[in-house]
Amino acid sequence: MNIKQWLQVEYLPIPLIALMVLTRFHHFGDVLHLPDASLAVFFFAGFYRKKALFLFLLVLAGLIDYIAIANGTSSWCVSPAYVFLIPTYAVMWFAGRYCSRFKSLKMADLGMQFGVMALATSAAFAISNGSFYVFSGRYPDLSWGQYFARVAQYYPPYVSSVLLYMALGYGIIKLAKTLPAVAVNHKEV
């Protein structure tokens, strides 16, 4: 099976699902845990272009959160704003769909994809954090200025962890695309 076949078959979602399950319990990560890869997972799932996968990942994210909270993780982020994770993840999904049009891994295409990913991640941050501020009921007396000052500390790790996962994902894809050529060259020697 070559890489093109691998990317088109039902096996592609397995690593994405595993990555979400392994990382979703800790949003920013720490010494022992990787940061949450959910946004990157939705981005790469957008390449797959199956709406059922988007819905499955939404349900999986909710289930992981439910299990984590049932086992002692703080439920601080679960509020009426939780429903805004749907458009947050949809932004990433559609960014992945858009970027799937760029088939090569040349620098110009990669630059375009990283730019789209950075914009999508910033939009996802604005949706998820803005909705939490407005609808969670946790900050009734906080001004917008105070909100931006407090939230500014979360933006860099939010975007950088997604871009790191994206770089790793593209690195894996590039490696997988070059392995068949290496194997052919190895057989010729």
Side-chain angles (χ1 to χ4, degrees), residues 51-141:
K51 292 177 186 173
L53 180 59
F54 177 74
L55 296 172
F56 175 80
L57 290 173
L58 283 175
V59 171
L60 179 63
L63 181 62
I64 292 168
D65 291 348
Y66 174 79
I67 292 169
I69 291 166
N71 287 301
T73 300
S74 171
S75 63
W76 173 257
C77 292
V78 178
S79 71
Y82 188 78
V83 72
F84 283 90
L85 287 179
I86 296 169
T88 298
Y89 294 142
V91 165
M92 300 308 292
W93 173 272
F94 285 115
R97 284 190 66 155
Y98 176 78
C99 287
S100 71
R101 293 193 276 172
F102 302 103
K103 301 296 183 199
S104 78
L105 293 177
K106 294 181 181 173
M107 290 309 288
D109 285 350
L110 286 175
M112 173 66 112
Q113 291 177 5
F114 274 91
V116 168
M117 179 66 146
L119 285 172
T121 305
S122 295
F125 181 82
I127 293 167
S128 65
N129 285 283
S131 64
F132 187 75
Y133 170 65
V134 173
F135 299 113
S136 71
R138 306 250 196 260
Y139 305 103
D141 298 326

Side-chain angles (χ1 to χ4, degrees), residues 3-184:
I3 188 64
K4 184 174 180 169
Q5 291 168 323
W6 174 260
L7 292 173
Q8 298 301 320
V9 297
E10 63 274 0
Y11 303 114
L12 176 65
I14 294 170
L16 296 176
I17 292 166
L19 187 59
M20 183 185 281
V21 168
L22 292 172
T23 64
R24 187 159 175 89
F25 293 96
H26 301 278
H27 291 289
F28 294 116
D30 56 30
V31 176
L32 300 175
H33 305 96
L34 292 170
D36 183 9
S38 297
L39 292 172
V41 166
F42 276 93
F43 177 83
F44 283 114
F47 282 175
Y48 193 58
R49 298 177 168 262
K50 300 286 186 195
K51 292 177 186 173
L53 180 59
F54 177 74
L55 296 172
F56 175 80
L57 290 173
L58 283 175
V59 171
L60 179 63
L63 181 62
I64 292 168
D65 291 348
Y66 174 79
I67 292 169
I69 291 166
N71 287 301
T73 300
S74 171
S75 63
W76 173 257
C77 292
V78 178
S79 71
Y82 188 78
V83 72
F84 283 90
L85 287 179
I86 296 169
T88 298
Y89 294 142
V91 165
M92 300 308 292
W93 173 272
F94 285 115
R97 284 190 66 155
Y98 176 78
C99 287
S100 71
R101 293 193 276 172
F102 302 103
K103 301 296 183 199
S104 78
L105 293 177
K106 294 181 181 173
M107 290 309 288
D109 285 350
L110 286 175
M112 173 66 112
Q113 291 177 5
F114 274 91
V116 168
M117 179 66 146
L119 285 172
T121 305
S122 295
F125 181 82
I127 293 167
S128 65
N129 285 283
S131 64
F132 187 75
Y133 170 65
V134 173
F135 299 113
S136 71
R138 306 250 196 260
Y139 305 103
D141 298 326
L142 193 65
S143 72
W144 278 102
Q146 292 169 320
Y147 164 75
F148 286 121
R150 292 177 83 178
V151 142
Q153 67 184 342
Y154 298 111
Y155 179 74
Y158 191 96
V159 173
S160 62
S161 66
V162 175
L163 293 176
L164 177 64
Y165 281 120
M166 183 180 170
L168 290 172
Y170 277 113
I172 291 168
I173 291 169
K174 180 72 171 175
L175 179 64
K177 282 186 171 189
T178 58
L179 285 178
V182 170
V184 168

